Amino acid sequence: MTNHVPHPNHDRGLEFDLSTMMSRRSLGMFFGAGGAVAALAACTPGGSGSTAATTTSAATESAAASAAATSAAATATPSASPMLTRAIAECGVEIPAETAGPYPGDGSNGPNVLTASGVVRQDITTSFGTGSAKAEGVPLTFTLTLLDNANGCVPLAGAAVYAWHCDRDGRYSLYDSGLKGENYLRGVQEADANGQVTFTSVFPGAYSGRWPHIHFEVFESMGNATAAGQVLAVSQIALTKAACDDVYATPGYEASVTNMKRTTLQSDNVFRDDGGIYQLATMTGSAATGYTAGLNVTI
C-alpha cells in the first residue's frame, strides 16, 4: 500500500475556517434564552389558595404527592442508560469549538452532502446515491450524548448530528483523488429521547499532522441539518491512544503507525489547548472484535 500524501492544509485550527463557518453557525443563544424563560417560569409562585390548602385532607395530600411522583417518573428520560446518567452527572463544561477542516462536505467548502437523499443513516461505512465504495477497516461504533447546558443539562432530544471522518488510509470522501464521487464515512442522525445518536463506521487512520479524530456538527433539528442550516456546535472526537495502537497494529493501517509517532494530543493543533480532555472518547473493545466509543457533548 502506498502511503497517503498528508493533507497540507487540513485542520489548521478554528481561525483557519472561521470565516466559512460563521455564516452558518449559531452560538446556541436561543437555547440559553429558552432555558432562562423556562427557569423563570418554574420559579414563579402560583396563586395563594390558602383556604383550599387548609381544608385539604391528609389523605388527599398523600394522594396528590403520590400522583406527582408518578407524573415526575413518567416524564423522566425514558430508558436512561448508564451512559446518559453519567453524561448528565458530568454536564457543565461545554464542548470546545473546533475547526470543521477543509473537507466538511456541508456546503461551506465545496460539495454539500447534507441535502442529498440518503445522508440520514446510522451505518456510514458505504457510499449512497451514485457512490458505490465501502470503507474497510476495524469496526467502530460511536455514540454522542447531546445535553442542553442552558436548561439543566436535559437531553437534546430531536437535535441532529452530522458526523464525518477519514478512512483508514487518511483520505476523505468527496475531496480526495479517486473519492470525489464517493460519500462514505458521512451521515446524519437524529437524537433520540436520551439525546443520543449512534453511528456504525470503521476506525479512521492517522494521517500526518493530526491526532486520530472524528468531526461532527450539531444542529437544532433534523430539518435544519438536512437543509444545511445554522450549526449549534462544531467539534471533534479524539480517539484514545490505547485503542489506536491496538488497531494500527492490524493490516491496512501500516501508515498510521508512523504518523502516530509524530503526534501527541498535546502537540496536535486542535486538541493541544487542553490535551483533548473534553473531547477524548470513552472507548471499549479490541481490534479483533471492533471498538465502541462514547462522548458527552454539552452545548
Side-chain angles (χ1 to χ4, degrees):
M1 178 184 298
T2 58
N3 290 347
H4 174 62
V5 177
H7 298 291
N9 63 342
H10 185 73
D11 295 353
R12 291 183 180 176
L14 183 61
E15 187 174 347
F16 175 75
D17 64 346
L18 190 59
S19 60
T20 60
M21 191 161 60
M22 285 302 292
S23 62
R24 299 179 53 245
R25 187 159 173 213
S26 165
L27 297 179
M29 292 181 65
F30 56 88
F31 270 120
V37 172
L40 181 60
C43 294
T44 302
S48 58
S50 57
T51 303
T54 56
T55 57
T56 300
S57 67
T60 303
E61 291 177 352
S62 176
S66 177
T70 301
S71 176
T75 56
T77 303
S79 305
S81 65
M83 183 185 298
L84 174 60
T85 301
R86 184 181 72 249
I88 293 176
E90 297 174 353
C91 184
V93 178
E94 294 185 2
I95 193 76
E98 304 292 6
T99 174
Y103 310 110
D106 61 1
S108 63
N109 184 27
N112 188 352
V113 75
L114 292 177
T115 58
S117 176
V119 70
V120 179
R121 59 203 185 129
Q122 183 178 45
D123 188 337
I124 61 175
T125 56
T126 60
S127 290
F128 60 91
T130 58
S132 59
K134 180 178 181 179
E136 301 295 336
V138 171
L140 172 67
T141 299
F142 60 95
T143 298
L144 299 179
T145 302
L146 310 179
L147 302 172
D148 184 358
N149 195 43
N151 194 24
C153 289
V154 297
L156 279 172
V161 171
Y162 166 45
W164 73 98
H165 63 82
C166 70
D167 61 19
R168 68 179 178 184
D169 296 319
R171 304 180 301 165
Y172 283 86
S173 67
L174 297 178
Y175 293 91
D176 270 289
S177 178
L179 295 178
K180 293 183 179 181
E182 304 295 342
N183 48 34
Y184 61 46
L185 305 182
R186 299 177 185 273
V188 173
Q189 279 282 292
E190 182 177 28
D192 63 16
N194 292 324
Q196 294 177 324
V197 296
T198 298
F199 293 91
T200 301
S201 190
V202 297
F203 209 100
Y207 52 84
S208 181
R210 282 305 318 274
W211 186 265
H213 60 283
I214 298 171
H215 293 269
F216 66 90
E217 295 176 343
V218 182
F219 296 82
E220 179 188 10
S221 65
M222 178 67 79
N224 194 278
T226 53
Q230 290 185 324
V231 184
L232 298 182
V234 181
S235 197
Q236 299 180 25
I237 307 171
L239 304 180
T240 65
K241 185 178 187 304
C244 291
D245 288 344
D246 183 31
V247 171
Y248 296 162
T250 64
Y253 288 94
E254 289 82 3
S256 294
V257 176
T258 301
N259 291 328
M260 274 290 288
K261 294 178 180 178
R262 301 170 179 167
T263 309
T264 66
L265 278 168
Q266 289 69 34
S267 67
D268 182 82
N269 60 10
V270 170
F271 300 125
R272 64 187 175 192
D273 289 346
D274 54 17
I277 186 173
Y278 300 115
Q279 295 151 279
L280 190 62
T282 298
M283 303 190 69
T284 59
S286 68
T289 61
Y291 273 92
T292 62
L295 183 70
N296 304 334
V297 180
T298 303
I299 300 172

